[in-house]
Amino acid sequence: MRIQTFTLAAVAALALGSAACTPAEQEAAEADAEVAADRAGEVAAEAGEVIESGAMKAARAVEEGAGNVASHLEENQAEAAAQGRPGAVDPATEERVPAE
């Protein structure tokens, strides 16, 4: 929303610059448009950083969750292999328990 507000401000300043009659008024309007455009760029960059940091946190959560699932599955397979259940894989050796 903030990006749109600043973008609209920049467009409005440019429109005012076009409508200004004297060269001084046109220069002032152009300066205002440049400031608005610079600010819009800053806000857009900040929004990008916020989005990226959120994505980073989400990726870390997924990675942690996947690690927890992998650990749980590895424990289950180690137990099944130790019990000699056919098809289980011993995580330490990567050897499958043969079918009887």
Side-chain angles (χ1 to χ4, degrees):
M1 260 329 188
R2 293 181 71 194
I3 295 170
Q4 289 177 340
T5 302
F6 287 111
T7 302
L8 290 174
V11 170
L14 285 172
L16 287 174
S18 299
C21 296
T22 68
E25 290 173 330
Q26 288 179 354
E27 288 176 17
E30 287 174 11
D32 289 344
E34 287 178 19
V35 169
D38 287 346
R39 182 67 185 134
E42 291 169 7
V43 170
E46 183 179 334
E49 293 300 329
V50 169
I51 291 167
E52 186 175 332
S53 69
M56 177 186 67
K57 289 178 183 178
R60 284 185 180 159
V62 168
E63 182 179 36
E64 182 179 339
N68 292 341
V69 169
S71 294
H72 180 73
L73 293 173
E74 193 171 286
E75 289 172 15
N76 288 348
Q77 283 293 295
E79 183 180 326
Q83 293 173 357
R85 287 192 257 163
V89 175
D90 183 349
T93 62
E94 297 291 325
E95 292 182 24
R96 185 172 301 281
V97 176
E100 296 176 28

